Amino acid sequence: MPGQGTKPTIYSVAARAGVSISTVSLAINQPQRVSAATRRRVAEAADAEGYRSRGGGPRAGLRTIAVAAPFSSWPSYYARLDGVLAHCAGAGVEVLVHDLPSPNEVEAPLLDALPVRGDLDGVIIMGTPLSADAEESIQRGGTPTVLVDAMSEVLPTVTVDDAHGGRLLGTHLVELGHRTALYAHEGQVSDDYVSAGMRRFAGVAAAMTAAGGTVEPVLLDDGVLAVAEQMGATAIVANHDALAAELLRFAAAHGVEVPGTFSVTGYDGGALADALRLTTIAQPFAESGRAAAELLVGMLSGTAPSVRTVGLACSLTPGATTARPRRP
């Protein structure tokens, strides 16, 4: 049982079961998506903790919100979730977690319905664009909702200027003397929305073009280094740090020097970039989560600020993977 005076939460259940909080949420709300063995572990941990889902109705004095994001696709959203949890911990707010599919990998990326129960007090949606119907439904239903890393004309949002981050990377490469670069990305199935990667590419392209250079988008695969060589590129910008790590792995496997043959940059910042000494753009992940939670809790308590769109700054972190090109 939890310590005396401590209320059982989804976090204590996850810790006891040895799984993530998203797995606990799935086991409770979408059990068909979890293996029988994992469901048993979660059920036993919940029983031991004395935890009960809110399915029977709201509990007095405790608000519950949901955070929905493509956690499985991009681990960076866990850092945003940390910011949400940090703010909610002292605000009497419980957080349920829902894993969404990556919008890059589906033909219909616009979220049409909230994947949450009707007894929630509010919702934070991260990294997934909403359809017009969904926005209208949210406004009609009155469930307070905040978007993170997604755009909206009608809902409160917390965003980082990805185009500016791209310009910072492009300017960095230009100042080192690079004039031809590739932009390596995973691709996206649908063009129904403007992704963060598309905004980053636009920023890199603006900086390179202004200096008389070029940058071309390419899908990341094992042949990307050969494509760069054929095109005379001296730098490769990865859509995010995990892709940059793949580039470095390809380079090592083929005996290609970084930054000797090609400079490589990422985007995100954090432990992976630090370990690889990667040139990247550092994003304020935890701060974005805290800002979203602050907005939402303010909406629930009637103290929301008049500013409903929060824009956060990103910054260039130079590393050991970029240098002046050996060839012009």
Side-chain angles (χ1 to χ4, degrees):
M1 295 294 291
Q4 186 175 4
T6 301
K7 292 183 179 180
T9 67
I10 192 172
Y11 317 115
S12 60
V13 173
R16 182 180 287 269
V19 298
S20 69
I21 53 178
S22 61
T23 298
V24 175
S25 181
L26 285 174
I28 293 172
N29 299 298
Q30 301 179 57
Q32 73 279 3
R33 295 183 58 186
V34 180
S35 70
T38 300
R39 286 199 301 271
R40 254 191 326 271
R41 286 169 61 191
V42 171
E44 290 169 358
D47 185 63
E49 288 287 302
Y51 176 81
R52 295 294 181 269
S53 171
R54 278 192 72 189
R59 289 168 288 178
L62 180 66
R63 292 189 175 101
T64 299
I65 68 170
V67 179
F71 293 106
S72 298
S73 302
W74 293 306
S76 60
Y77 283 102
Y78 285 109
R80 294 178 173 92
L81 178 61
D82 284 342
V84 173
L85 298 179
H87 184 81
C88 290
V93 175
E94 184 179 46
V95 181
L96 299 180
V97 177
H98 293 264
D99 192 22
L100 299 176
S102 165
N104 281 16
E105 299 172 357
V106 295
E107 293 183 359
L110 301 182
L111 191 63
D112 285 316
L114 299 184
V116 295
R117 303 187 313 233
D119 58 350
L120 291 164
D121 296 300
V123 182
I124 296 174
I125 301 173
M126 299 180 173
T128 300
L130 299 183
S131 68
D133 288 344
E135 291 186 332
E136 181 180 345
S137 175
I138 290 169
Q139 289 184 301
R140 186 170 57 249
T143 301
T145 301
V146 175
L147 304 185
V148 178
D149 204 22
M151 310 301 288
S152 174
E153 296 294 328
V154 297
L155 297 174
T157 60
V158 177
T159 60
V160 176
D161 191 341
D162 285 297
H164 176 64
R167 286 192 296 273
L168 291 176
L169 284 177
T171 300
H172 173 69
L173 293 175
V174 165
E175 290 175 346
L176 287 174
H178 297 276
R179 292 297 181 271
T180 304
L182 298 184
Y183 189 91
H185 61 99
E186 315 99 313
Q188 61 185 63
V189 175
S190 172
D191 292 327
D192 289 345
Y193 73 108
V194 178
S195 66
M198 294 167 71
R199 292 191 292 270
R200 293 168 192 176
F201 171 74
V204 174
M208 296 288 291
T209 301
T214 61
V215 57
E216 295 292 333
V218 295
L219 291 176
L220 179 72
D221 57 32
D222 195 35
V224 68
L225 299 175
V227 172
E229 180 70 29
Q230 292 167 4
M231 296 185 64
T234 58
I236 305 176
V237 178
N239 188 37
H240 53 77
D241 290 344
L243 291 188
E246 279 291 283
L247 276 169
L248 296 179
R249 184 175 68 85
F250 293 156
H254 291 83
V256 174
E257 295 181 6
V258 175
T261 305
F262 301 110
S263 285
V264 171
T265 77
Y267 200 108
D268 278 343
L272 179 60
D274 291 343
L276 297 174
R277 300 175 62 203
L278 182 68
T279 295
T280 189
I281 295 296
Q283 293 206 69
F285 289 130
E287 184 182 351
S288 68
R290 281 193 297 270
E294 184 176 3
L295 271 176
L296 185 58
V297 171
M299 293 165 69
L300 297 178
S301 62
T303 61
S306 57
V307 177
R308 304 296 291 277
T309 299
V310 178
L312 301 176
C314 54
S315 59
L316 175 72
T317 303
T321 58
T322 52
R324 296 191 65 82
R326 287 181 178 174
R327 59 183 187 273

